[in-house]
Amino acid sequence: MYLKWFSINVLLAAVFGAFAFAPYQYVFVNEAKTWTEAQSYCRQNYTDLVTVNNMKEMKNLNTILKDKTTSSVWIGLNRGNTGRWHWSLGDSDLYHNWAVLEPNNYLGQGEYCVEVYGFAGTWNDDTCNKMYYFMCYDETMTNTQLYVYIQQPKTWRDAQSYCRQYHTDLASVRNQTENQLMLNVTLSSGVSRFWIGLFNDSWQWSDHSNSSFRYWRSDQPNTTTSNENCTAVSMADQGQWLDVNCNTMNPFVCYQNKLVLVNQTLTWWDALRYCRENHRDLVSVHSEEVQLLVTVVAQKASSEYIWLGLHHNCFFSCWFWVTNHTVCFQNWAPGNGTGREDCGVVERAGALESIGGQHWVSLPKNQQLNFICSNY
Ligand SMILES: *[C@@H]1O[C@H](CO)[C@@H](O)[C@H](O)[C@H]1NC(C)=O
Ligand SMILES: *[C@@H]1O[C@H](CO)[C@@H](O)[C@H](O)[C@H]1NC(C)=O
Ligand SMILES: *[C@@H]1O[C@H](CO)[C@@H](O)[C@H](O)[C@H]1NC(C)=O
Ligand SMILES: *[C@@H]1O[C@H](CO)[C@@H](O)[C@H](O)[C@H]1NC(C)=O
Ligand SMILES: *[C@@H]1O[C@H](CO)[C@@H](O)[C@H](O)[C@H]1NC(C)=O
Ligand SMILES: *[C@@H]1O[C@H](CO)[C@@H](O)[C@H](O)[C@H]1NC(C)=O
Ligand SMILES: *[C@@H]1O[C@H](CO)[C@@H](O)[C@H](O)[C@H]1NC(C)=O
Ligand SMILES: *[C@@H]1O[C@H](CO)[C@@H](O)[C@H](O)[C@H]1NC(C)=O
Ligand SMILES: *[C@@H]1O[C@H](CO)[C@@H](O)[C@H](O)[C@H]1NC(C)=O
Ligand SMILES: *[C@@H]1O[C@H](CO)[C@@H](O)[C@H](O)[C@H]1NC(C)=O
């Protein structure tokens, strides 16, 4: 289980990082709609209202919006009922080191941010507008110096802005070793407490993804129990976010996954028809980048193999992609695809292994498998 989780994250890192090859595309829709109407529009015509996962994606979004003449644009974040803990940097919320009887949201006064007690290293929830020193996280530094201690008192939100401007973000702490590493940075200063990147909120994304990334203008969200339950990018504020009444009419940004795993089991011909009716086509894996994306999407399959848009032509004795490209990039499993194919009763098509090496195998087209459609 851990290994699987690990490899997916490494793959995602490769997909997002090394290849600069986003697995989705943004679509700006220049029609004023309420947030709920915008959500329906995106879900019917694309994947969903846009989710923003990090600063890099926020910059991409701003690039798309920069020549638009509107003042506010809906994104997929809206207020839910139950708060939970998030790391500012977006890490999974796995390790905590709360002090005894914490967190307690003392007197119900809204303790939504987290400080570390110097020396003890235990954590406490506190109201976010208090002014404390704070700990930034800097991914450009070496493993033993992830943390930069800033000895200027700031509110949690201003500390977050500072860390994002000069380092990476407010500190994330993923285990006891990192907690100690962070404490060590403060030992000589005798400080009593400092902010880290943990916060509690109930905002959630339309697509149910867990992104903890928030980019509020410093005075936002400014209504706590509220009639302003939806989120808009404010063009006048460099794309920072405002909480807005959901019935306001604004243009919006949808996103669309480039690849979609279809969790039905169909023959190759039916899978091809399904993709052409509901998306663009069965996926053609022209390059290593697409193979990486396909590998990520394939993790959720319920069949052992997954149809690709790859089919064998017995007349030419050759493999083709359904997009009519010849097969240049190859990823066949040993013994598959490269020899003479069985040209008996049923023609053959190419499928991906959903587990293991994610190689391609040659199978008769009447087998029933999950499949991957492309939208581009
Ligand atoms: C999907 O897009 C079409 C045309 O762009 C539009 O007419 C339709 O209303 C949209 N769907 C929803 C649910 O808004
Ligand atoms: C977040 O804060 C809310 C409001 O005080 C509280 O009900 C909720 O339990 C908190 N969430 C966590 C995970 O502590
Ligand atoms: C703590 O977490 C960091 C980052 O995930 C990792 O590199 C390190 O090996 C972990 N240390 C321990 C003792 O788990
Ligand atoms: C913290 O400092 C102590 C004392 O200098 C050292 O023994 C320990 O290894 C340090 N911890 C980490 C995680 O670097
Ligand atoms: C999102 O977080 C919830 C609760 O922490 C967890 O159960 C779920 O698996 C997470 N989903 C994803 C896609 O990471
Ligand atoms: C919240 O901020 C918005 C935008 O600045 C403003 O129009 C609105 O009046 C504020 N609401 C409250 C309750 O302060
Ligand atoms: C906003 O969300 C809160 C929490 O879910 C809810 O209590 C409130 O009724 C919502 N307000 C509106 C106008 O929908
Ligand atoms: C896919 O379908 C199988 C069998 O119908 C089901 O058990 C599984 O939960 C589904 N997976 C997803 C991700 O929908
Ligand atoms: C591929 O080429 C064949 C024969 O030239 C043609 O019938 C078919 O429509 C083409 N398919 C696509 C997706 O362009
Ligand atoms: C094709 O690959 C699969 C999976 O690795 C393997 O089980 C099968 O034997 C291979 N086919 C041939 C003809 O070698």
Side-chain angles (χ1 to χ4, degrees), residues 276 322-324:
R276 288 185 173 171
V322 288
T323 46
N324 276 355

Side-chain angles (χ1 to χ4, degrees), residues 85-89 112-116 124 126-135 153-164 169-171 194-201 212-216 218 220:
W85 295 106
H86 304 267
W87 288 106
S88 179
L89 186 58
Y112 299 135
C113 292
V114 175
E115 73 219 10
V116 172
N124 177 43
D126 209 336
T127 51
C128 304
N129 56 2
K130 291 200 178 140
M131 311 268 281
Y132 293 140
Y133 292 177
F134 54 98
M135 190 66 73
K154 289 191 187 296
T155 65
W156 188 90
R157 190 69 70 69
D158 288 348
Q160 182 188 49
S161 300
Y162 180 100
C163 291
R164 284 181 176 171
D169 210 320
L170 270 172
F194 55 90
W195 291 129
I196 55 173
L198 198 61
F199 67 99
N200 172 356
D201 79 12
S212 295
F213 183 74
R214 307 285 184 266
Y215 196 52
W216 301 111
S218 62
Q220 304 278 319

Side-chain angles (χ1 to χ4, degrees), residues 308-322:
L308 302 172
L310 182 58
H311 59 139
H312 185 255
N313 181 307
C314 280
F315 182 76
F316 293 111
S317 186
C318 195
W319 287 91
F320 292 96
W321 291 112
V322 288

Side-chain angles (χ1 to χ4, degrees), residues 175-193:
N175 52 42
Q176 184 63 40
T177 311
E178 292 195 345
N179 204 50
Q180 188 58 45
L181 199 59
M182 182 175 69
L183 273 194
N184 278 7
V185 179
T186 68
L187 278 186
S188 58
S189 80
V191 70
S192 61
R193 51 182 87 196

Side-chain angles (χ1 to χ4, degrees), residues 282-303:
L282 257 182
V283 64
S284 291
V285 186
H286 298 306
S287 62
E288 206 162 329
E289 283 91 332
V290 184
Q291 172 69 21
L292 255 177
L293 265 189
V294 156
T295 307
V296 172
V297 173
Q299 309 276 346
K300 288 194 178 137
S302 59
S303 61

Side-chain angles (χ1 to χ4, degrees), residues 217 219-223 228 242-243:
R217 198 173 71 187
D219 62 332
Q220 304 278 319
N222 63 349
T223 41
E228 298 185 352
L242 310 176
D243 58 339

Side-chain angles (χ1 to χ4, degrees), residues 243-255:
D243 58 339
V244 176
N245 185 310
C246 304
N247 294 323
T248 313
M249 310 281 273
N250 285 313
F252 50 97
V253 180
C254 308
Y255 78 97

